Amino acid sequence: MVDFSTSSRDEYDERPEMDQQQRPGLHATIGGAGAALQVAATLDQFVAAEGIPERIAWRVRVALDEIVANLVAHTMPARPGGPPAFDLWLRVDAGVVQVTIADDGPPFNPLLHPDPDVTSPLEVRKPGGLGIALLKSLMDDVQYERTDRNVLTL
């Protein structure tokens, strides 16, 4: 979640099977080779419609880029024979931008991943973890829930 001052819109697209109180907002199912471009286009549409300041949009954009890169890299092997697909919800509520991503990959709670040791020399560091640390630093709040899917809410 990222906090900013604006009024929220009254019109939202809904995913039919979702409770309106649970995930209202702009919804897109993302999949295929152009996942990053689809997310960028959806976010651009949302930012323009909601009048979200660029300083906030930039933080959300960087966080989503990191998440999508990891979904494509780590979910694709879990779905042999097809590209990964995931759902993206974007909403504004009381001046707070909320982003929810749900995927069908193997259970993975990024919040349990330890922060990387950035003080060690590069030669001895284990690869990975910098994106999660970046995500946590950009967002005011990050939550993970495992239902029948991985659900990450920023």
Short mmCIF file of all heavy atoms in Angstrom, two decimals, residues 14 18-24 91 93 98:
data_model
loop_
_atom_site.label_atom_id
_atom_site.label_comp_id
_atom_site.label_asym_id
_atom_site.label_seq_id
_atom_site.Cartn_x
_atom_site.Cartn_y
_atom_site.Cartn_z
N GLU A 14 -15.06 -5.22 -11.55
CA GLU A 14 -15.05 -6.25 -10.51
C GLU A 14 -14.77 -7.61 -11.14
O GLU A 14 -15.21 -7.90 -12.24
CB GLU A 14 -16.42 -6.33 -9.81
CG GLU A 14 -16.84 -5.05 -9.14
CD GLU A 14 -16.02 -4.73 -7.91
OE1 GLU A 14 -15.39 -5.64 -7.35
OE2 GLU A 14 -16.00 -3.56 -7.53
N MET A 18 -15.40 -12.57 -6.98
CA MET A 18 -14.80 -11.99 -5.77
C MET A 18 -15.84 -11.16 -5.02
O MET A 18 -16.64 -10.46 -5.62
CB MET A 18 -13.61 -11.09 -6.12
CG MET A 18 -12.49 -11.81 -6.84
SD MET A 18 -11.82 -13.20 -5.95
CE MET A 18 -10.94 -12.35 -4.67
N ASP A 19 -15.83 -11.24 -3.72
CA ASP A 19 -16.67 -10.40 -2.86
C ASP A 19 -16.29 -8.94 -3.11
O ASP A 19 -15.13 -8.59 -3.11
CB ASP A 19 -16.41 -10.80 -1.41
CG ASP A 19 -17.20 -9.98 -0.41
OD1 ASP A 19 -17.69 -8.90 -0.76
OD2 ASP A 19 -17.32 -10.46 0.73
N GLN A 20 -17.28 -8.08 -3.31
CA GLN A 20 -17.00 -6.68 -3.61
C GLN A 20 -16.21 -6.00 -2.51
O GLN A 20 -15.45 -5.08 -2.77
CB GLN A 20 -18.30 -5.93 -3.88
CG GLN A 20 -18.92 -6.33 -5.19
CD GLN A 20 -20.13 -5.49 -5.50
OE1 GLN A 20 -20.54 -4.63 -4.73
NE2 GLN A 20 -20.73 -5.72 -6.64
N GLN A 21 -16.38 -6.39 -1.27
CA GLN A 21 -15.63 -5.79 -0.18
C GLN A 21 -14.19 -6.31 -0.16
O GLN A 21 -13.32 -5.69 0.42
CB GLN A 21 -16.30 -6.10 1.17
CG GLN A 21 -17.64 -5.44 1.33
CD GLN A 21 -17.54 -3.93 1.28
OE1 GLN A 21 -16.62 -3.34 1.84
NE2 GLN A 21 -18.47 -3.29 0.60
N GLN A 22 -13.95 -7.46 -0.78
CA GLN A 22 -12.63 -8.07 -0.71
C GLN A 22 -11.62 -7.43 -1.65
O GLN A 22 -10.54 -7.08 -1.24
CB GLN A 22 -12.75 -9.57 -1.02
CG GLN A 22 -11.49 -10.33 -0.74
CD GLN A 22 -11.68 -11.81 -0.95
OE1 GLN A 22 -12.70 -12.25 -1.47
NE2 GLN A 22 -10.71 -12.58 -0.55
N ARG A 23 -11.94 -7.31 -2.94
CA ARG A 23 -10.97 -6.78 -3.89
C ARG A 23 -11.64 -5.91 -4.95
O ARG A 23 -11.59 -6.22 -6.13
CB ARG A 23 -10.23 -7.93 -4.56
CG ARG A 23 -9.20 -8.57 -3.67
CD ARG A 23 -8.46 -9.65 -4.44
NE ARG A 23 -7.48 -10.30 -3.62
CZ ARG A 23 -7.73 -11.19 -2.68
NH1 ARG A 23 -8.95 -11.54 -2.43
NH2 ARG A 23 -6.76 -11.75 -1.99
N PRO A 24 -12.25 -4.81 -4.56
CA PRO A 24 -12.81 -3.91 -5.59
C PRO A 24 -11.68 -3.17 -6.28
O PRO A 24 -10.59 -3.05 -5.75
CB PRO A 24 -13.68 -2.96 -4.80
CG PRO A 24 -13.06 -2.93 -3.45
CD PRO A 24 -12.48 -4.30 -3.23
N ARG A 91 -6.56 -0.55 -6.69
CA ARG A 91 -7.65 0.25 -6.14
C ARG A 91 -7.10 1.39 -5.32
O ARG A 91 -5.95 1.37 -4.90
CB ARG A 91 -8.60 -0.59 -5.31
CG ARG A 91 -7.95 -1.12 -4.04
CD ARG A 91 -8.91 -1.85 -3.16
NE ARG A 91 -9.69 -0.87 -2.44
CZ ARG A 91 -10.37 -1.12 -1.36
NH1 ARG A 91 -10.40 -2.32 -0.86
NH2 ARG A 91 -11.04 -0.19 -0.75
N ASP A 93 -8.37 3.59 -1.91
CA ASP A 93 -9.34 3.67 -0.84
C ASP A 93 -8.83 4.65 0.20
O ASP A 93 -7.74 4.45 0.76
CB ASP A 93 -9.57 2.29 -0.21
CG ASP A 93 -10.67 2.30 0.83
OD1 ASP A 93 -11.56 3.16 0.77
OD2 ASP A 93 -10.64 1.43 1.72
N GLN A 98 -3.78 0.51 -3.30
CA GLN A 98 -3.61 -0.88 -2.89
C GLN A 98 -3.50 -1.73 -4.15
O GLN A 98 -4.29 -1.59 -5.08
CB GLN A 98 -4.79 -1.35 -2.04
CG GLN A 98 -4.59 -2.75 -1.49
CD GLN A 98 -5.74 -3.15 -0.59
OE1 GLN A 98 -6.90 -2.92 -0.91
NE2 GLN A 98 -5.41 -3.76 0.53
#
